[in-house]
Amino acid sequence: LSATTCAGSGCLPVFLEGSVFTVAVASSDQHSPITAHSGSHKATDHGSHNNTGKAFPVLDLNYENVRVPFEISLWVLLASLMKLGFHLVPHLSNIVPESCLLIVVGLLVGGIIRGTGETVPPVLDSKLFFYILLPPIILDAGYFLPIRPFMENLGTILIFAVVGTLWNAFFVGGLLYGVCQIGTESSSILSRIGLLQCLLFGSIISAVDPVAVLAVFEEIHINELLHILVFGESLLNDAVTVVLYHLFEEFSGIGSVTLLKGFLGVISFFVVALGGVLVGVLYGILAAFTSRFTSHTRVIEPLFVFLYSYMAYLSAEIFHLSGIMALIACGAVMRPYVEANISHKSHTTIKYFLKMWSSVSETLIFIFLGVATVAGPHDWNWTFVTVTVILCLVARVIGVVGLTFIINKFRIVKLTTKDQFIIAYGGLRGAIAFSLGFLLNKEHFPEREIFLTAIITVIFFTVFVQGMTIKPLVELLAVKKKQEAKRSINEEIHTQFLDHLLTGIEDICGHYGHHHWKDKLNRFNKKYVKKCLIAGERSKEPQLIAFYHKMEMKQAIQLVESGGGIKMPSAVPSTVSMQNIQPRPSTKPAPERAIPQLSKNKEEEIRKILRTNLQRTRQRLRSYNRHTLVADPYEDGLSDLFLKKQKMFQIEKKLKEMNTYLTVPAPPPDSPTMCRARLASDPQAYSIKPASNKVPMIQVDLASPQSPDSVNLLDEFGQANQQEEEEQGLMMKPPSRPREAKKPSEEDEAKDQQRLMRCLSDPGPSADEDEDGAFLP
Amino acid sequence: MYNYKHYCKNLHKYIHIVDVCFFTVSQEQIKNLYQRFQQLSGNHEKISRDDLERIPALNNNPIRKQIITAFFDKRNQHQNDVGSLDEIGFEQFLMVMSHFRPVNSTATEEEKVTVRKQKLRFLFNMHDTDNDGIITLDEYRTVVEELLSQSGAIETEVARSIADAAMLEVASTNVPHMAPDDFYEGITFEHFEQILKGIEMESRMSIRFLDMNTATMRCGKLSS
């Protein structure tokens, strides 16, 4: 594996810089199976070469043509196999975070390469890292960023990101310079490191790394607030890092600092940050607008999302703006509108692809970190390295504590000491620091190797020591964990209610707070922006209704997935149904359950039909992990089902006049039930003839608690079908007619809703927090 | 300009409310609120519903009627009284505003629970319009309809089904095993607390305005 992967040095950067084409062209001229390249070990001569009359080579070997793609694929394959392997080993992933294991693997691979005498390729080349490996991770994070907690804590996050990083950079850089000057003899190499170089080093090492944070925090499942604080900080400090880096690099090159330049530096910070966000927002709006017209070419919808985001990143990089912020802004802005426009399949595709790419990227980054460590070049200096590590820790702690003290004055929900500890401890450094160090110019920075060694040591320290111990510490300190948030409809109603209430109170007080502006933004969004960017009628659907439909859909799908007659496992087993809630008409003495009793045979037949056409139970993933996806309800088989349901819908429309069979005690021979049974066995059209314009019903047994199989499935089919067509995206029209029977009797209405609500009596599925919620909830 | 003399004369009364309400607020904030009160009432001593309805910013609020009613609801005055007032004075205004205070981080668990109950009670009173102690299905339906009222032509069916689903959820969480013939009357206050325990009411239902420069003048127990 290793011998072939790293033949020669710089195989991957070669690919990027375009010279692979020259290599390929050169080798295609040769017909000889022997490659002249020094690295190839597999050069064998297949005999025919020596004959003057060249025979046609039956078996030829030309490795050079495929070398680069081949090696890239091998690396990716290695990464993926490692990921597989870790989860096969029991208990390993509980103790050691994945990132540590991957770095160890990288070390091993690097070691093997070294051992075989090859030069280790500089795989963590900055171009590869910044243009290929980093964007998927950031896009994944940005697209699924939980907007509401992010916005609510934006002030705190910004203060940590900007002020915290600045503090760290200057503290570490300054003190390091002091130590170098004072603590060592004047002839040692350390004393030759200038202040600017130290400050530059400080700015590189002080930025909290989003990749490392994501990798570690994913596994510890802490509560949302802490997660968003540390993660948000790691994303937003990119602007600061970019500015500081370029600033100090400029200054080191030129050699002199003036006040004007310092002032320009401050200005450039705002330009970088806001410019990055602006670029991202622009591309986000473009993407949203494009998605409005994609209803006829659903297949390439995901591509637009990826392309626009990547372009946003690259465009920002052209102007030295913050690419990360552009990417985040683009993803966050486009998401609510795009999701309203695209089909469900596209949405799934986007989700899958983003998760896949970011997963692979992350794995590769850590492996490469390990390989790059072996590659060197290193210059170990005990003083420098240890001082750096200690200073980083101290700076982080002081920074967090100090800033929290100030921030808590403005927060309603204060940050406790435990929170502060986790925030400080969670400030991990990662591959971004290494890549930035790698980018340093050797001429301006003769001490580049010392820097690189120190950076790697800090990275190792944070990832290994802090990464491994944070999980037990979280347990020990009993930090609040992430709740399995099952967003119930009551909570949703009341969240909205509270929003309006607080806005109203603020208006009465005359106080233009936070709710007031949020409300204004919401209204602006609804009035103008949504109309522009969302196709068709979906732009008008209020959030509560969207939420409700989503919930209904999820439950319908769950019901289908559980394969028919099996009772849904619900958190709160309950026999409550709609019947219990509906106010009883006072004239009736007691509600009669005028449920037609189907004979057992019919029941069985119907159930069998259902089972043969439905999917098996799927295991639902309980907690949300960035690398796993919630069970996707839309398997291929199910789409067929939906098509059939559409047919059903059309038939139903034609059968509006049919009476409900509910009033009939037992199904007569030609009842809809029988027709249905006959039809259903017809493989061509699994279309249920509904008994009325209402929801089709296969009513097995309504409300009897004794029969555990009393689940009505097709009710949900009808509902879901009427509400959703394949091509309609995630928003649904409100169910209009079908709920009302033509001549509703009170009973029927109650029964009807009961039928529907029976399914809803099971508390909702775990709300996928990354797909819930509109842009401005 | 507010009537400074009047304000000073009654300041002790207002501070008394503060004590009774367990209201951590500063004099500065009382003054600001008093100014606003005067502004709303046109320098009279009491405000009526019309005064509140004239606030232009409230026009876009889907639940403005309920909010305004809540100010005039006697139940929110901590006096075990029912019915509604026609006009309220500054004391009653303060009383209502006190429901939106944030909880001090130094508060004990017990205090937090009390505050939370108070806020939930306020919400409950807003829903329970006929004051029978339970939120019936009709009342809940009205709530949802009002919430959705600003969103254009929404068919009432949808609002009803949302309310029904929500009610069902409350019933199944709180009374999981009901026989088919039982009737779930409505959401009682205990059930209401139960279903909203996921939302951190102490922090969600508060106005930041009341939190700035808090001089902690707490004393006395809540008399509710």
Side-chain angles (χ1 to χ4, degrees):
Chain A
L1 186 81
S2 51
T4 50
T5 47
C6 302
S9 62
C11 50
L12 291 160
V14 161
F15 174 64
L16 277 181
E17 291 171 26
S19 47
V20 66
F21 298 107
T22 52
V23 171
V25 164
S27 60
S28 65
D29 287 335
Q30 308 166 20
H31 293 286
S32 158
I34 302 176
T35 63
H37 195 93
S38 57
S40 168
H41 290 256
K42 285 214 175 131
T44 48
D45 186 358
H46 283 280
S48 54
H49 174 65
N50 282 331
N51 299 340
T52 44
K54 272 208 210 140
F56 185 75
V58 175
L59 189 64
D60 206 355
L61 181 86
N62 195 338
Y63 181 60
E64 273 311 302
N65 279 350
V66 297
R67 191 173 63 113
V68 175
F70 191 79
E71 281 163 4
I72 296 175
S73 312
L74 274 177
W75 273 114
V76 178
L77 192 60
L78 169 74
S80 318
L81 287 174
M82 285 301 119
K83 253 183 118 63
L84 273 185
F86 293 151
H87 291 283
L88 287 178
V89 179
H91 304 306
L92 190 62
S93 38
N94 290 340
I95 310 171
V96 189
E98 228 175 70
S99 37
C100 303
L101 293 170
L102 289 169
I103 294 185
V104 169
V105 167
L107 286 172
L108 281 173
V109 171
I112 295 175
I113 298 174
R114 256 279 172 80
T116 58
E118 286 287 320
T119 53
V120 182
V123 279
L124 206 54
D125 173 66
S126 299
K127 276 219 183 104
L128 169 71
F129 178 75
F130 281 114
Y131 297 144
I132 309 277
L133 290 179
L134 190 62
I137 302 181
I138 304 295
L139 180 60
D140 179 36
Y143 195 78
F144 294 114
L145 193 68
I147 294 284
R148 196 179 181 135
F150 187 75
M151 286 299 171
E152 282 176 6
N153 294 298
L154 191 61
T156 315
I157 294 178
L158 274 175
I159 291 188
F160 274 127
V162 177
V163 181
T165 312
L166 281 173
W167 158 259
N168 274 348
F170 283 101
F171 185 79
V172 173
L175 279 188
L176 211 54
Y177 179 66
V179 165
C180 288
Q181 291 299 319
I182 302 172
T184 63
E185 316 108 34
S186 53
S187 61
S188 108
I189 186 171
L190 285 187
S191 56
R192 271 183 269 127
I193 305 178
L195 176 62
L196 282 172
Q197 279 86 347
C198 279
L199 284 176
L200 178 59
F201 177 73
S203 67
I204 294 178
I205 199 81
S206 63
V208 178
D209 186 85
V211 180
V213 165
L214 269 176
V216 169
F217 271 49
E218 266 315 306
E219 301 183 5
I220 61 178
H221 299 297
I222 53 170
N223 63 63
E224 199 180 48
L225 171 69
L226 286 179
H227 188 231
I228 199 74
L229 281 179
V230 182
F231 182 58
E233 181 197 340
S234 69
L235 289 175
L236 294 186
N237 67 18
D238 180 61
V240 182
T241 313
V242 165
V243 169
L244 282 179
Y245 184 81
H246 284 122
L247 207 63
F248 290 133
E249 209 188 14
E250 272 288 309
F251 289 170
S252 308
I254 299 175
S256 67
V257 188
T258 64
L259 198 60
L260 178 66
K261 291 223 184 84
F263 183 63
L264 284 178
V266 174
I267 303 268
S268 92
F269 165 71
F270 287 104
V271 168
V272 163
L274 295 174
V277 171
L278 195 67
V279 168
V281 169
L282 266 168
Y283 274 98
I285 294 182
L286 273 176
F289 192 65
T290 314
S291 73
R292 189 178 162 178
F293 304 105
T294 54
S295 43
H296 299 291
T297 43
R298 294 283 181 193
V299 210
I300 54 173
E301 270 172 345
L303 202 58
F304 283 117
V305 171
F306 301 140
L307 282 175
Y308 276 112
S309 316
Y310 196 46
M311 295 275 292
Y313 182 75
L314 294 175
S315 310
E317 289 288 331
I318 295 177
F319 300 102
H320 275 308
L321 303 173
S322 167
I324 290 186
M325 291 184 84
L327 209 44
I328 300 282
C330 183
V333 163
M334 82 165 112
R335 186 178 169 209
Y337 308 108
V338 161
E339 289 207 338
N341 285 329
I342 59 177
S343 72
H344 198 91
K345 271 189 178 156
S346 300
H347 170 78
T348 312
T349 310
I350 293 178
K351 196 160 77 162
Y352 263 102
F353 265 89
L354 280 179
K355 304 268 174 222
M356 181 185 78
W357 274 329
S358 70
S359 211
V360 169
S361 263
E362 194 184 287
T363 317
L364 273 176
I365 288 179
F366 283 113
I367 293 186
F368 284 171
L369 256 181
V371 174
T373 312
V374 174
H378 288 300
D379 188 356
W380 180 270
N381 187 313
W382 276 102
T383 328
F384 194 79
V385 171
T386 43
V387 169
T388 309
V389 173
I390 296 175
L391 279 180
C392 279
L393 285 174
V394 169
R396 177 85 182 153
V397 171
I398 299 179
V400 168
V401 171
L403 286 175
T404 317
F405 181 71
I406 302 175
I407 289 173
N408 268 344
K409 296 205 198 296
F410 299 101
R411 281 181 65 91
I412 294 185
V413 179
K414 318 272 183 212
L415 294 173
T416 65
T417 321
K418 259 193 256 175
D419 293 338
Q420 290 173 41
F421 177 74
I422 296 290
I423 294 176
Y425 208 66
L428 305 171
R429 313 315 199 254
I432 290 187
F434 181 78
S435 308
L436 283 176
F438 206 77
L439 268 178
L440 287 174
N441 194 330
K442 183 79 179 167
E443 293 153 21
H444 293 156
F445 297 93
E447 52 280 327
R448 179 172 170 263
E449 272 107 41
I450 306 181
F451 284 176
L452 277 179
T453 314
I455 293 175
I456 286 199
T457 316
V458 173
I459 296 178
F460 270 46
F461 183 81
T462 55
V463 171
F464 277 92
V465 174
Q466 286 177 234
M468 279 209 269
T469 53
I470 199 167
K471 195 162 185 182
L473 274 173
V474 161
E475 304 279 339
L476 195 69
L477 292 176
V479 178
K480 243 191 338 177
K481 291 276 194 102
K482 181 190 298 219
Q483 288 156 334
E484 297 284 345
K486 270 202 237 177
R487 201 79 188 283
S488 73
I489 186 121
N490 278 297
E491 285 184 3
E492 180 70 25
I493 291 178
H494 280 98
T495 311
Q496 296 227 345
F497 192 82
L498 267 180
D499 274 346
H500 289 298
L501 175 64
L502 290 172
T503 311
I505 298 286
E506 275 188 4
D507 290 332
I508 291 181
C509 273
H511 170 61
Y512 286 156
H514 164 69
H515 285 100
H516 177 89
W517 295 116
K518 206 160 77 150
D519 190 59
K520 268 212 160 121
L521 195 56
N522 260 330
R523 271 187 283 124
F524 173 74
N525 185 27
K526 201 154 63 160
K527 213 164 152 193
Y528 301 110
V529 184
K530 273 191 179 169
K531 288 225 174 92
C532 249
L533 299 179
I534 300 184
E537 299 167 8
R538 270 160 265 143
S539 54
K540 297 201 204 88
E541 193 173 56
Q543 199 215 342
L544 185 58
I545 296 188
F547 177 84
Y548 175 65
H549 286 319
K550 247 192 213 167
M551 234 184 70
E552 271 192 328
M553 258 260 291
K554 276 188 184 160
Q555 284 174 330
I557 288 162
Q558 264 185 348
L559 224 39
V560 167
E561 282 194 328
S562 66
I566 307 164
K567 175 111 179 169
M568 278 289 302
S570 57
V572 181
S574 146
T575 55
V576 178
S577 64
M578 210 49 207
Q579 190 183 14
N580 297 103
I581 308 180
Q582 288 289 345
R584 261 173 284 166
S586 44
T587 50
K588 282 204 163 279
E592 281 161 23
R593 295 198 277 120
I595 308 157
Q597 301 294 332
L598 290 174
S599 67
K600 280 293 173 192
N601 285 343
K602 297 289 174 299
E603 262 187 53
E604 251 324 296
E605 204 179 326
I606 291 168
R607 243 182 252 147
K608 225 189 324 168
I609 293 166
L610 290 178
R611 269 198 214 107
T612 53
N613 283 281
L614 295 177
Q615 300 293 327
R616 300 228 168 278
T617 310
R618 282 261 297 258
Q619 212 169 4
R620 274 173 50 203
L621 301 163
R622 274 271 147 200
S623 70
Y624 170 66
N625 183 311
R626 198 170 68 92
H627 295 295
T628 57
L629 296 165
V630 175
D632 182 16
Y634 282 89
E635 279 186 5
D636 286 335
L638 224 51
S639 65
D640 279 349
L641 211 53
F642 278 123
L643 283 172
K644 289 168 183 165
K645 278 190 277 178
Q646 280 183 10
K647 281 193 220 160
M648 204 164 75
F649 184 45
Q650 265 122 40
I651 296 177
E652 183 198 306
K653 271 193 188 164
K654 296 181 206 154
L655 294 175
K656 272 187 216 166
E657 301 309 325
M658 279 177 75
N659 283 331
T660 165
Y661 85 113
L662 272 186
T663 53
V664 178
D670 267 312
S671 80
T673 322
M674 288 310 294
C675 298
R676 216 172 303 135
R678 263 182 270 130
L679 260 182
S681 29
D682 174 13
Q684 216 260 336
Y686 177 63
S687 39
I688 313 285
K689 271 193 179 178
S692 76
N693 65 332
K694 273 193 292 188
V695 165
M697 47 237 120
I698 286 195
Q699 200 61 264
V700 179
D701 186 275
L702 260 190
S704 146
Q706 286 84 26
S707 157
D709 288 334
S710 48
V711 168
N712 54 331
L713 286 164
L714 297 184
D715 196 51
E716 283 308 305
F717 286 175
Q719 280 301 328
N721 177 40
Q722 287 145 21
Q723 292 166 15
E724 200 250 359
E725 289 172 7
E726 255 305 310
E727 303 304 312
Q728 239 189 37
L730 290 180
M731 293 299 198
M732 290 166 265
K733 301 193 186 75
S736 43
R737 273 175 334 276
R739 301 261 190 92
E740 302 262 51
K742 282 286 169 160
K743 298 154 202 156
S745 62
E746 284 229 45
E747 250 177 30
D748 288 338
E749 201 181 298
K751 296 272 183 315
D752 170 29
Q753 286 177 317
Q754 182 182 2
R755 251 176 282 121
L756 169 66
M757 298 311 167
R758 183 127 184 113
C759 309
L760 294 179
S761 71
D762 302 315
S766 60
D768 208 355
E769 57 267 35
D770 61 349
E771 46 178 12
D772 235 2
F775 173 50
L776 296 161
Chain B
M1 273 299 114
Y2 59 95
N3 192 337
Y4 191 65
K5 267 193 289 195
H6 183 246
Y7 169 72
C8 289
K9 197 168 29 136
N10 291 310
L11 187 57
H12 68 282
K13 245 199 300 180
Y14 304 144
I15 301 203
H16 174 67
I17 295 175
V18 162
D19 291 349
V20 164
C21 299
F22 202 55
F23 198 176
T24 62
V25 77
S26 70
Q27 293 209 17
E28 181 71 25
Q29 288 161 11
I30 301 186
K31 194 163 83 160
N32 289 336
L33 283 173
Y34 190 77
Q35 266 179 293
R36 178 65 178 173
F37 182 83
Q38 291 293 89
Q39 200 182 33
L40 288 175
S41 71
N43 282 323
H44 296 134
E45 278 208 19
K46 302 216 176 225
I47 33 176
S48 65
R49 279 175 207 260
D50 293 329
D51 293 319
L52 285 182
E53 279 180 12
R54 262 187 271 129
I55 302 176
L58 273 186
N59 287 334
N60 291 314
N61 203 314
I63 55 171
R64 65 193 278 261
K65 262 195 303 166
Q66 275 94 327
I67 299 178
I68 296 179
T69 315
F71 270 89
F72 294 91
D73 194 339
K74 278 194 197 162
R75 286 175 296 175
N76 291 328
Q77 299 292 333
H78 295 297
Q79 275 160 6
N80 299 324
D81 223 352
V82 292
S84 70
L85 305 157
D86 290 326
E87 305 182 306
I88 53 171
F90 185 56
E91 291 164 40
Q92 286 104 347
F93 185 74
L94 258 193
M95 271 286 194
V96 172
M97 295 304 287
S98 76
H99 288 97
F100 292 94
R101 68 184 179 279
V103 173
N104 224 333
S105 56
T106 55
T108 65
E109 263 315 303
E110 191 187 286
E111 292 165 4
K112 282 192 188 157
V113 166
T114 326
V115 170
R116 188 189 155 80
K117 255 192 155 64
Q118 214 191 26
K119 295 188 193 241
L120 281 173
R121 189 85 221 175
F122 186 83
L123 275 185
F124 190 81
N125 288 341
M126 281 183 87
H127 297 326
D128 182 20
T129 42
D130 60 0
N131 195 32
D132 54 359
I134 49 172
I135 305 179
T136 59
L137 186 61
D138 282 323
E139 286 169 346
Y140 212 24
R141 277 181 185 160
T142 321
V143 171
V144 178
E145 273 169 21
E146 289 293 314
L147 255 188
L148 295 175
S149 60
Q150 287 249 327
S151 319
I154 302 297
E155 303 190 12
T156 41
E157 261 316 294
V158 185
R160 285 185 67 188
S161 43
I162 295 179
D164 293 344
M167 194 71 155
L168 192 69
E169 199 179 70
V170 181
S172 21
T173 352
N174 283 304
V175 195
H177 299 285
M178 288 179 83
D181 290 348
D182 285 350
F183 178 56
Y184 182 68
E185 295 285 332
I187 309 178
T188 62
F189 186 60
E190 286 76 33
H191 295 174
F192 192 68
E193 279 183 307
Q194 182 68 20
I195 54 168
L196 288 185
K197 67 172 188 227
I199 305 183
E200 252 189 47
M201 220 34 98
E202 310 90 73
S203 35
R204 289 295 297 272
M205 189 169 149
S206 34
I207 304 276
R208 227 177 264 250
F209 175 70
L210 299 175
D211 191 32
M212 293 196 295
N213 304 320
T214 45
T216 43
M217 307 193 309
R218 336 194 309 253
C219 56
K221 266 199 69 149
L222 193 56
S223 61
S224 136

